[in-house]
Amino acid sequence: MSPEIVTILALVVIFAIATVLPINMGALAFVAAFVVGTLSVGLTTDDILGGFPAGLVLTLIGVTYLFAIAQNNGTVDLLVRGAVRLVGGHVAAIPWVMFFVTALLTAIGALSPAAVAIIAPIALTFAARHGISPLLMGMMVIHGAQGGGFSPLSVYGVTVNDIVDEEGLPGSPLTVFLGSLGFNIAIALVLFLLLGGRSLLGRKVAAEPVPHSEHAHGTLVRGHGAAPGPAVGGDDDEHVHPDVPQPVRFEQVLTLVGLVVVAVLALAFDLDIGFVSITVAVVLALFSAQQHKGAVTQISWSTILLIAGVLTFVSVLQEAGTIDYVGDAVIGLGAPLLIALLLAYIGGVVSAFASSTAIIGVAISLAVPFLLAGEIGAVGVVVALSVASTIVDVSPFSTNGALVLANAQDVDKDRFYKQILAYAGIVVAVGPLLAWLVFVVPGWL
């Protein structure tokens, strides 16, 4: 049996076992990477370890460690209250604020994982505090990042436009950008409606402050149509009136400065956000070592094992030539519309486990021969492949999905992982088809 087929079967077995038995899929994937890689693909253990996603692991460790410290000293709550004041206390507006802030960051050139790493912990803390679906909030952040990710200034946008120019294909950078942005806004709207967004309409975090204990607190006032019952959450910080100034402690000021430093160094200077985050976290810990000695235990180690194992096995799959094997089989079909659809699915499926930037390049390059023939609109295919290869970054095995999973607050991580995996499965199954139907089939691009 060929190595390509063996790796595909091994991937199916990994998913099947992890679904039936409570075994971390990452551990299974490490075993498969070792066994299949050495026995079938002919790799050495050094070759296999070369596929270990060290950068992503460091990012997850650094970001979750930093925000564990920020959570413990109340800085994240401070940011959440600031977000509430920004929208006048309207809870339903917060998911959209997170969407468009993340979109803005990627549109002006931030790497998608860097933008998600900065915004997701704040967004998910707000979700936990105010009874918003963490799946809704996390996916709004990711789709925001992908929506802005194809501006002419962004990494994705520059990558796609350069490939199009080099291959001599008709191009439209603005169409690629607006196509991705519009598609992700549409998905975000559907998510908002299906995951409880309508129940948030009319809800406000605002009221007259009432005395409680030693501080003046407000209550969560529900608008017309909101569910009866006590306000969501039970701690004092949840019920703080958004317009009542709260004392800011020195360690919170220091943490805010640290977060700004992370944002500037990662977004403006393109430094690795994992190294920057863990550096800032250690500096903050030095100022209050006893207070933050338990922060390391709050790092999502099970998530890191999951992601690292699966992506290490995916590198074995790539070394086996499985992606090229499937791509060559698709190109041999000869029907341009069908080829475009299948390439969109290849981009979507592979990108759910691997680098979206790399997969976009591969997918567009595979499409060049039939696009140059002029039988199908090149711009529409490029937009469809770009969208299909990036909307799947909601996968828990992608950097963005992993960041959302690792930073979720007050949730059952195993259940949340299954929710994200189920949603990613829907996106992988339906997203490329929708992109093909919208941008390719009508022939209007």
Side-chain angles (χ1 to χ4, degrees), residues 56-369:
L56 175 54
V57 168
L58 180 63
T59 295
L60 291 173
I61 292 174
V63 170
T64 54
Y65 184 29
L66 174 59
F67 276 92
I69 291 175
Q71 180 73 43
N72 292 344
N73 66 23
T75 304
V76 173
D77 286 338
L78 196 66
L79 293 172
V80 169
R81 291 199 296 270
V84 172
R85 288 195 296 270
L86 182 67
V87 295
H90 292 280
V91 177
I94 293 293
W96 292 104
V97 169
M98 301 303 171
F99 178 97
F100 285 108
V101 167
T102 317
L104 177 62
L105 290 176
T106 55
I108 62 177
L111 290 171
S112 175
V116 172
I118 291 167
I119 302 300
I122 300 169
L124 289 164
T125 300
F126 186 95
R129 294 288 186 271
H130 294 278
I132 301 174
S133 163
L135 183 62
L136 168 62
M137 194 69 94
M139 298 306 105
M140 291 290 276
V141 171
I142 294 177
H143 283 299
Q146 304 314 102
F150 283 94
S151 83
L153 302 176
S154 68
V155 175
Y156 288 159
V158 169
T159 300
V160 170
N161 296 329
D162 283 353
I163 293 173
V164 168
D165 289 341
E166 290 173 4
E167 299 292 348
L169 296 171
S172 176
L174 184 61
T175 301
V176 174
F177 172 44
L178 295 180
S180 175
L181 179 60
F183 199 89
N184 280 280
I185 289 175
I187 293 177
L189 180 59
V190 173
L191 284 174
F192 184 80
L193 295 175
L194 293 180
L195 296 179
R198 287 174 293 183
S199 67
L200 305 178
L201 297 173
R203 277 180 52 187
K204 290 189 66 178
V205 181
E208 301 79 9
V210 295
H212 179 68
S213 214
E214 297 178 359
H215 303 86
H217 296 282
T219 57
L220 182 62
V221 172
R222 302 177 185 276
H224 177 70
V232 175
D235 57 24
D236 285 344
D237 284 340
E238 169 66 17
H239 302 290
V240 172
H241 189 288
D243 297 321
V244 176
Q246 302 298 314
V248 180
R249 302 188 303 276
F250 170 74
E251 62 265 31
Q252 292 175 328
V253 173
L254 200 61
T255 304
L256 288 172
V257 171
L259 294 177
V260 171
V261 169
V262 170
V264 171
L265 293 180
L267 302 183
F269 293 93
D270 199 24
L271 295 181
D272 184 89
I273 193 168
F275 275 119
V276 173
S277 296
I278 202 166
T279 301
V280 171
V282 169
V283 170
L284 292 174
L286 286 173
F287 279 89
S288 185
Q290 286 301 314
Q291 179 185 355
H292 300 306
K293 64 181 180 180
V296 171
T297 63
Q298 294 172 249
I299 297 172
S300 188
W301 296 111
S302 63
T303 299
I304 291 171
L305 173 61
L306 169 70
I307 304 305
V310 171
L311 293 186
T312 300
F313 178 74
V314 168
S315 74
V316 172
L317 184 145
Q318 291 173 319
E319 289 293 329
T322 306
I323 297 172
D324 292 336
Y325 172 80
V326 175
D328 292 341
V330 168
I331 295 300
L333 295 176
L337 274 177
L338 181 58
I339 291 175
L341 175 61
L342 293 178
L343 285 179
Y345 271 103
I346 290 174
V349 172
V350 176
S351 184
F353 300 91
S355 167
S356 296
T357 306
I359 297 306
I360 291 171
V362 171
I364 294 177
S365 297
L366 288 173
V368 167

